[in-house]
């Protein structure tokens, strides 16, 4: 029984910091470095993050989400549930262009889909290696729910290899869990590392 217990020693709580007091110089340098890392990633990946609007014959309703361009010739990675049952797709870029798209591939068990738009020379994000991720690593979620500019939130990888039940009821294995807050419409947008490489696709809030 005792072999399964990990004892934790709690130190006396330190006095609370004065919230009105400026950060120490070394802390300010760390904060500035963190800010520069996040803004550099947004500058690099943001133009490749798109807004997706769908018209659906089933139910006559529209849906919206995000996606990320992964090749300059117009392949866009997103969630399957964003494009499921869509009979028309519009992909809006941050430069103001709106392009029509078609579903080029889908994999409902992993909630992933690929859209193809008929345009070349598009800004594309680099794909990373999700197998090399470590718990505690910084991660940044980028979305584009409105088609004008990116929404950004940052946090850390909180767990790896988790399972998640998709909207269709299927179980998705090997999911990356983060504490990154997702804004409405960010489904299908990329989760990226500090080098701007796509390490996952945001699929649940």
């Amino acid at each position: 029984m005792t072999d399964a217990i990990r004892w934790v020693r709690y130190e006396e709580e330190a006095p609370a910091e004065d919230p009105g007091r400026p950060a120490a110089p070394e802390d300010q340098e760390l904060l500035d470095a963190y800010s520069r890392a996040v803004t550099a990633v947004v500058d690099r990946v943001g133009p490749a993050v798109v807004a997706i609007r769908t018209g659906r014959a089933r139910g006559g309703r529209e849906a919206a989400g995000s996606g990320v361009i992964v090749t300059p010739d117009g392949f866009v990675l997103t969630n399957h549930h964003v494009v499921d049952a869509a009979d028309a797709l519009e992909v809006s870029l941050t430069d103001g262009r709106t392009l029509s798209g078609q579903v080029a591939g889908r994999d409902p068990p992993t909630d992933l889909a690929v859209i193809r738009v008929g345009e070349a020379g598009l800004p594309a994000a680099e794909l990373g290696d999700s197998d090399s991720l470590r718990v505690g690593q910084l991660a940044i979620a980028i979305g584009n729910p409105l088609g004008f500019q990116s929404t950004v939130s940052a946090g850390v990888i909180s767990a790896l290899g988790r399972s998640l039940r998709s909207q269709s009821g299927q179980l998705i294995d090997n999911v990356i869990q983060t504490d990154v807050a997702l804004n409405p419409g960010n489904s299908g947008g990329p989760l990226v590392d500090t080098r701007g490489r796509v390490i996952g696709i945001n699929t649940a809030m």
Side-chain angles (χ1 to χ4, degrees):
M1 180 67 179
T2 55
D3 291 340
I5 298 175
R6 294 186 180 181
W7 296 100
V8 179
R9 178 181 176 184
Y10 291 93
E11 301 291 346
E12 183 177 352
E13 185 175 349
E17 295 287 341
D18 181 359
R21 187 172 61 186
E26 58 273 20
D27 294 337
Q28 189 63 54
E29 290 178 8
L30 289 173
L31 292 172
D32 289 344
Y34 177 83
S35 295
R36 287 193 298 269
V38 173
T39 55
V41 166
V42 176
D43 289 342
R44 181 174 179 179
V45 183
V49 181
V50 300
I52 300 172
R53 293 192 177 276
T54 70
R56 298 184 176 181
R58 188 194 315 171
R61 63 188 180 89
E62 292 186 349
S66 300
V68 57
I69 303 169
V70 292
T71 65
D73 58 346
F75 283 99
V76 180
L77 193 58
T78 187
N79 284 150
H80 174 261
H81 76 258
V82 171
V83 301
D84 185 29
D87 60 346
L89 292 172
E90 284 187 351
V91 178
S92 299
L93 281 64
T94 55
D95 63 9
R97 285 181 289 172
T98 298
L99 308 172
S100 61
Q102 294 181 330
V103 177
R106 61 180 78 216
D107 186 28
T110 59
D111 196 25
L112 292 175
V114 177
I115 298 171
R116 176 72 187 272
V117 297
E119 191 73 25
L122 297 175
E126 178 186 356
L127 295 179
D129 180 12
S130 57
D131 287 338
S132 65
L133 297 178
R134 300 182 63 186
V135 173
Q137 178 177 334
L138 179 65
I140 302 161
I142 307 178
N144 190 348
L146 300 177
F148 301 111
Q149 62 183 4
S150 299
T151 61
V152 181
S153 49
V156 297
I157 304 291
S158 52
L160 297 168
R162 293 296 176 91
S163 296
L164 172 72
R165 195 160 301 278
S166 69
Q167 292 189 2
S168 66
Q170 293 176 301
L171 197 64
I172 306 174
D173 293 321
N174 202 25
V175 170
I176 301 167
Q177 181 180 326
T178 81
D179 67 351
V180 180
L182 296 182
N183 298 305
N186 274 15
S187 284
L191 185 73
V192 298
D193 62 17
T194 52
R195 297 186 181 182
R197 299 172 299 191
V198 179
I199 53 176
I201 296 295
N202 301 314
T203 191
M205 296 181 67

